Amino acid sequence: MDTLETRELRYFLAVAEQLHFGRAAERLGMAQPPLSRAIQQLERRLGVRLLERDRRGVALTSAGEMLLHEGRAALDAVTAAARRARRAGGADSPGGPRNRLVLAVKAGDSHELLHKLLDVYAAEPDAAEIEVLPSGTCEQGEMLRDGRADAALMHAPFNSLTGFDSEELMTEGQIAVLPARHPLAAHRSLSLADISDVPGLPLARWSRDGTYPPGPGPEIHDQTQLAQLIALGRTMAVYPESARAWLWAEHAAVPLSDAPPVVTHLAWPAHSRSLALAGLIRTATRL
């Protein structure tokens, strides 16, 4: 049988990601024996072994690896369909408009562009209400896939546009955001090599897909934390030129002469049929 239930996929993904039945059962809020039976039943229905079990633990077979990859995408699609249906019907915002779009943006980036997009679109006949949803450095793609957002401002080369349709809106340079009192802040420009290993001023680290890249810099959770740590002289960061809009007096912005340009795109799911989203895209192409 080729049909899978979402419950079965959730069970399998929990085990595949934890590679431990006990931890997976705890994550799912259930006992381990019924979870084990459910996975065995799934294997019998599919006619393949998904997991190898021995005294050393649990490992994925090639079939299990495939179902892990495809299953994540399938569950995201189901979750996204439910979220967007509720949003279109106004069920997730009682008393609010039935026609509403969620736009994911990276906090602090493309500030003037975002203002212009929202203002011009709001003047359109039958414009939907736009909810702006701030996100971390690389969270916008996940938000589009699982339905938390209908569209997103994404920045190449930092964000992957694979699997999305997009419209290019703006190209800009990059800056190093430094403590205003640091000696590097007095430079007219810097290179990437100049800021790669500055004693006492490591580069901040943002989470990517739930993990932080290695390095001595602090793990950053939100824009306010980053701004304060830079002001205190504990870290620095690299941002698009438009980030100047959120800088404090305790910050300095120095252009990076050899950093690649950042291209801001409006991105959306390739399969979208939302008329409200189509209106937002038309507005973006005219900016």
Side-chain angles (χ1 to χ4, degrees):
M1 182 180 292
D2 294 331
T3 303
L4 288 174
E5 297 179 1
T6 55
R7 175 182 58 84
E8 293 176 311
L9 275 179
R10 282 196 296 270
Y11 287 0
F12 171 73
L13 291 179
V15 177
E17 290 169 355
Q18 297 290 330
L19 292 178
H20 190 282
F21 276 89
R23 289 195 296 269
E26 183 178 355
R27 172 172 140 183
L28 292 165
M30 63 187 298
Q32 182 174 335
L35 175 60
S36 298
R37 290 194 296 270
I39 298 299
Q40 290 168 359
Q41 182 180 14
L42 176 60
E43 289 178 319
R44 287 195 298 269
R45 288 180 59 225
L46 293 178
V48 295
R49 183 177 291 278
L50 301 171
L51 302 167
E52 296 289 354
R53 310 161 179 82
D54 58 31
R55 294 179 180 178
R56 293 174 295 179
V58 178
L60 289 168
T61 65
S62 58
E65 291 278 3
M66 177 63 71
L67 186 58
L68 173 61
H69 174 73
E70 298 286 346
R72 281 172 173 160
L75 272 186
D76 279 347
V78 171
T79 301
R83 283 173 168 161
R84 291 189 175 113
R86 288 177 58 82
R87 193 149 58 238
D92 66 344
S93 182
R98 293 174 60 87
N99 205 8
R100 187 166 66 91
L101 293 173
V102 176
L103 176 64
V105 300
K106 179 183 173 184
D109 279 5
S110 307
H111 186 73
E112 292 183 8
L113 174 66
L114 178 59
H115 261 295
K116 185 176 181 181
L117 174 62
L118 295 177
D119 289 346
V120 174
Y121 177 68
E124 293 290 326
D126 301 321
E129 179 181 299
I130 302 292
E131 177 186 342
V132 177
L133 184 61
S135 65
T137 302
C138 295
E139 293 178 347
Q140 299 97 316
E142 182 181 348
M143 290 177 170
L144 289 180
R145 282 186 287 270
D146 68 15
R148 282 177 289 167
D150 301 295
L153 292 184
M154 299 175 71
H155 309 277
F158 305 114
N159 299 124
S160 172
L161 296 168
T162 302
F164 304 119
D165 286 341
S166 64
E167 181 71 29
E168 183 177 319
L169 301 183
M170 179 177 70
T171 300
E172 59 185 320
Q174 296 192 63
I175 56 174
V177 182
L178 306 156
R181 295 183 179 182
H182 194 278
L184 288 178
H187 289 235
R188 295 178 62 87
S189 68
L190 294 166
S191 69
L192 291 172
D194 291 332
I195 63 170
S196 64
D197 188 20
V198 180
L201 197 66
L203 280 163
R205 294 181 294 144
W206 285 95
S207 172
R208 293 176 180 267
D209 299 321
T211 60
Y212 287 89
E219 296 181 354
I220 302 302
H221 306 290
D222 58 53
Q223 191 75 28
T224 301
Q225 176 203 17
L226 175 63
Q228 185 159 25
L229 288 176
I230 294 174
L232 292 172
R234 302 299 179 89
T235 191
M236 64 175 161
V238 174
Y239 264 88
E241 183 79 25
S242 56
R244 291 179 183 271
W246 61 262
L247 298 188
W248 298 358
E250 295 90 346
H251 299 154
V254 180
L256 290 169
S257 59
D258 57 349
V262 177
V263 183
T264 300
H265 298 256
L266 178 66
W268 62 92
H271 62 270
S272 176
R273 297 295 182 270
S274 167
L275 294 178
L277 176 58
L280 179 65
I281 295 166
R282 285 195 299 271
T283 298
T285 62
R286 297 197 299 268
L287 293 181

